[in-house]
Amino acid sequence: MTKFMETHYYNSVQDSSNLATKKEVMSILGTDEISELMKNEIDFIDNECNVKGSREIIELFKLITLKKSDEIISSKDIKLVGFDDEDQLILGVIKKDNQEEIAYTATGIYSFSTTFLDQLFCLGKFYNFCLQTGQKDLLRETIVYLLEKSQENEKQYRFINGKNEGEHYLRTITSSNRYKNYDNNIVLYLSLNAIHQYSKKMNNPSYIDYAKITDSSLDVRVMLTKTIALGKNYEVEIGIQVSNSEIREQSILFELIYTIKDKSGNKATAIGNKILDVTHAMRIDTVRSRLTRFDELDHSSKDFVKGIDIARLNTKLDEQKLHVIFDKLSRTRKNGLNSHAKREMDKIAEETAKNTYTLLELFNKLENIDTTIDEKKYLQMKFTDFLVNGFK
């Protein structure tokens, strides 16, 4: 199903880095109600955005061409049409004025079918069981019966329109009608404004270090140019990590991050305090009021840096400490590492057994493993834990 996923990356190491004009930042917004509210409540940029790479990331965002829409539909207006070649549900939405005629059909993509059946009827596991045991007829009969007989259930659905006329796909159930569409364009606009304002206030230029933009998610890492000295051998670069998923029941998250570097070029990133989380049901004026938390970042950053035990960075890791680190990293956890990342980690474990590394040198290697954003964040959280709490 990769044909439905559009992904674009930005990396400051290889990509050009320019400041976006105010007009370019404003162009992210649409003409919908939420865009207008955002424009009225949050407008901090005068002439140009004080974030290097902001022009490039806006251009990348505009390369996403998939058209999406949200529609609130009652379960009474849905019929099961069948299954596609990948056993995804094909649903028909019936006409308002004719309950016997289908207005259009839409095919599930990604995990839609499981999400739909779970949220409406708690049938996600039953769906998978029927497919695995070849009982699709039983599955079909059950879904048809429940759609006809169950209590009315109204949900908001995320549609993606295909390239051909009348081609519709169902991505997920975004939520109920309380869901506010803080889509990627809104989050990107909010992020550039907030970081621009903070950067100007601190007289510390910022730049986008890395970004991943897909048709339904946004992950951006912005760093401040001026660093903080940490002892004689280290420096700390402070940044802000922004993440958003349009289709998950999660918050838009702003977190402080700290990249620690030594004179040999080794570096690893630690996760600091959560600055701001914006739920998808939050009023925009509430979002604006919570942006005042950026005023506390300088104090929070200095406290975090003061709390770093420099001795832990300098000390070579003995066998016992290495055992503690790799034991904690290899445990199966909800947000842990996948099998590929674990194999790569095992290779590093074998290598470190023959050499002597510091904590920073070790996590410098671990961060270079080719993993997902969530897995990198998991490693960063573990680095923070060892950095602050030691090897208990």
Side-chain angles (χ1 to χ4, degrees):
M1 283 296 179
T2 54
K3 64 181 179 179
F4 297 105
M5 177 69 80
E6 287 188 81
T7 306
H8 297 285
Y9 295 94
Y10 175 85
N11 192 315
S12 62
V13 175
Q14 61 190 33
D15 299 323
S16 58
S17 184
N18 293 287
L19 303 180
T21 64
K22 177 183 177 70
K23 183 178 179 181
E24 288 169 331
V25 175
M26 297 293 286
S27 71
I28 302 170
L29 298 176
T31 56
D32 55 281
E33 181 183 358
I34 291 181
S35 289
E36 290 298 324
L37 287 171
M38 183 65 70
K39 195 183 303 181
N40 293 332
E41 289 287 342
I42 298 170
D43 182 13
F44 304 145
I45 299 170
D46 296 322
N47 297 310
E48 60 183 8
C49 180
N50 194 41
V51 183
K52 288 186 177 180
S54 51
R55 173 174 290 171
E56 285 75 11
I57 196 174
I58 289 171
E59 291 173 350
L60 286 177
F61 170 77
K62 290 182 176 181
L63 291 177
I64 301 291
T65 58
L66 285 178
K67 303 298 181 184
K68 55 202 172 191
S69 61
D70 293 308
E71 186 176 350
I72 298 170
I73 304 173
S74 166
S75 58
K76 294 297 183 183
D77 295 328
I78 295 174
K79 287 187 176 182
L80 177 64
V81 175
F83 302 86
D84 72 355
D85 294 339
E86 298 182 15
D87 293 322
Q88 285 271 14
L89 300 178
I90 303 174
L91 301 180
V93 180
I94 61 180
K95 290 185 175 181
K96 297 292 184 183
D97 56 351
N98 185 345
Q99 293 294 297
E100 298 301 320
E101 190 174 348
I102 292 176
Y104 59 89
T105 63
T107 303
I109 55 175
Y110 301 108
S111 58
F112 170 79
S113 296
T114 305
T115 301
F116 173 78
L117 292 174
D118 251 350
Q119 290 204 22
L120 269 70
F121 310 122
C122 299
L123 282 183
K125 290 183 179 179
F126 179 72
Y127 164 77
N128 290 320
F129 171 78
C130 287
L131 294 179
Q132 291 169 7
T133 56
Q135 301 187 69
K136 194 181 291 186
D137 287 342
L138 174 61
L139 177 62
R140 184 194 306 269
E141 291 170 8
T142 304
I143 297 171
V144 170
Y145 176 83
L146 290 173
L147 284 171
E148 291 178 353
K149 303 297 183 181
S150 294
Q151 186 176 359
E152 184 174 11
N153 196 340
E154 196 174 70
K155 296 285 185 180
Q156 182 167 281
Y157 295 83
R158 165 60 54 87
F159 287 86
I160 292 179
N161 298 324
K163 295 179 180 178
N164 301 320
E165 182 72 23
E167 187 178 16
H168 306 289
Y169 299 95
L170 280 161
R171 179 75 191 253
T172 193
I173 297 175
T174 49
S175 184
S176 65
N177 55 10
R178 290 182 65 251
Y179 187 93
K180 285 184 171 56
N181 295 318
Y182 289 155
D183 283 352
N184 284 344
N185 66 318
I186 300 294
V187 177
L188 183 56
Y189 178 85
L190 170 64
S191 303
L192 292 178
N193 270 272
I195 296 166
H196 163 85
Q197 187 183 46
Y198 174 68
S199 174
K200 294 286 281 188
K201 180 177 179 179
M202 299 305 299
N203 191 29
N204 194 346
S206 61
Y207 67 96
I208 295 174
D209 180 39
Y210 170 86
K212 177 184 178 183
I213 306 171
T214 78
D215 52 277
S216 58
S217 66
L218 177 72
D219 290 278
V220 181
R221 185 168 64 236
V222 184
M223 308 302 294
L224 298 176
T225 303
K226 297 176 185 176
T227 61
I228 298 175
L230 182 63
K232 296 180 179 179
N233 300 318
Y234 304 96
E235 63 178 2
V236 182
E237 193 175 17
I238 298 170
I240 298 166
Q241 195 158 279
V242 185
S243 57
N244 177 54
S245 174
E246 297 176 358
I247 63 174
R248 295 179 188 170
E249 292 283 347
Q250 295 180 349
S251 302
I252 303 159
L253 196 59
F254 290 73
E255 295 173 292
L256 271 173
I257 56 174
Y258 304 88
T259 298
I260 302 171
K261 303 177 181 179
D262 67 14
K263 293 183 178 180
S264 299
N266 295 299
K267 63 179 182 178
T269 300
I271 300 287
N273 297 333
K274 179 170 63 178
I275 307 167
L276 174 68
D277 60 334
V278 179
T279 67
H280 283 271
M282 190 175 288
R283 291 165 54 91
I284 292 179
D285 55 351
T286 305
V287 175
R288 179 188 171 91
S289 68
R290 291 194 178 185
L291 288 178
T292 56
R293 294 178 185 177
F294 276 79
D295 296 338
E296 304 167 6
L297 295 195
D298 187 45
H299 179 70
S300 298
S301 301
K302 288 177 180 176
D303 283 349
F304 185 89
V305 173
K306 286 179 183 177
I308 295 174
D309 190 333
I310 299 177
R312 289 197 187 114
L313 287 172
N314 286 325
T315 304
K316 300 292 184 179
L317 299 169
D318 58 27
E319 185 177 348
Q320 181 181 2
K321 289 174 183 175
L322 285 170
H323 175 75
V324 172
I325 292 171
F326 284 108
D327 180 59
K328 286 189 175 183
L329 288 175
S330 62
R331 290 177 190 172
T332 303
R333 297 186 57 128
K334 181 181 178 181
N335 295 317
L337 303 176
N338 64 24
S339 57
H340 166 73
K342 284 185 177 180
R343 285 194 298 271
E344 292 300 310
M345 187 185 72
D346 289 342
K347 292 178 184 177
I348 293 174
E350 290 178 10
E351 181 183 338
T352 56
K354 303 172 185 176
N355 296 280
T356 306
Y357 288 102
T358 64
L359 184 65
L360 183 64
E361 289 169 338
L362 174 60
F363 272 85
N364 175 68
K365 286 185 170 293
L366 290 171
E367 274 205 36
N368 285 325
I369 294 175
D370 184 19
T371 60
T372 67
I373 288 175
D374 287 342
E375 289 165 346
K376 281 199 183 297
K377 187 171 180 179
Y378 175 77
L379 289 170
Q380 290 166 357
M381 290 171 65
K382 286 300 178 186
F383 177 56
T384 308
D385 184 32
F386 292 122
L387 193 64
V388 176
N389 301 317
F391 308 97
K392 299 176 183 177

